[in-house]
Amino acid sequence: MADVLPLVEARLRSALGEPDARAAVTFLGTDRIEVLRFTEGDVVRYATLGMSAQPMADPTAVLADPVKGPRAELILSVRLGVADTDKVLRPLAVLAASPQVEGLIVAPGASLDVGGALWPGAPFTSVLVAESGGLVDDLELDAPADPVRFLPLLPMTPNEAAWKRVHGAGALQERWLNGGTDLRDPLRRSVPLD
């Protein structure tokens, strides 16, 4: 099968425009992960490029299928100029490398923890993986390969992450919706959870 990354980058560019910056991170024993930055108005979007090069494999499988299996890239959208969000590049690359490093299958509803602030001063240490198909359409690949899904990441405070573990992703998203939460605010406080 042809390299999917040029197709993925083309899909990102057609949906988000030209990136105004890009950075690459390589972790020992993994493929290179790039993070592209797209700025539109007062919103900056960070999209990974490299996570979808290989399908995510079930960690219990004896052999990983080189073609079949879910593929994804991650997208984080935040308000521009409110915080030093460009420091999110490394944590995003770590999350994108987690299927290779830890054998994780990243899917909607999952929580991903970065073990520290997403960027300096951020009240968030983890993200909720949302459903694909809103900002960037899924990229269909030749059969039998699964499509590449572009999964939005929603930053969570530690309290929100703990509440989500008990009540589920849907309940947390409902709280955000009912509370009128601006999920792009890089300095927002936790939604009321009582």
Side-chain angles (χ1 to χ4, degrees), residues 18-83:
E18 286 299 310
D20 58 11
R22 68 192 306 147
V25 180
T26 305
F27 302 100
L28 187 63
T30 67
D31 295 329
R32 173 177 144 137
I33 302 287
E34 288 189 82
V35 179
L36 283 59
R37 185 181 72 187
F38 300 87
T39 306
E40 181 185 339
D42 69 338
V43 175
V44 61
R45 292 187 172 90
Y46 302 94
T48 63
L49 179 63
M51 182 177 171
S52 62
Q54 303 294 326
M56 293 180 268
D58 182 343
T60 61
V62 177
L63 286 175
D65 190 311
V67 178
K68 287 198 243 175
R71 294 176 190 255
E73 296 292 352
L74 308 174
I75 300 176
L76 174 69
S77 301
V78 292
R79 297 246 175 265
L80 184 63
V82 181

Side-chain angles (χ1 to χ4, degrees), residues 42 44 78-85 119-120 184-188:
D42 69 338
V44 61
V78 292
R79 297 246 175 265
L80 184 63
V82 181
D84 188 11
T85 57
W119 54 81
R184 293 179 179 170
D185 180 354
L187 300 175
R188 74 170 179 83

Side-chain angles (χ1 to χ4, degrees), residues 78-97:
V78 292
R79 297 246 175 265
L80 184 63
V82 181
D84 188 11
T85 57
D86 278 351
K87 297 285 194 306
V88 78
L89 301 178
R90 186 165 180 77
L92 266 183
V94 167
L95 295 178

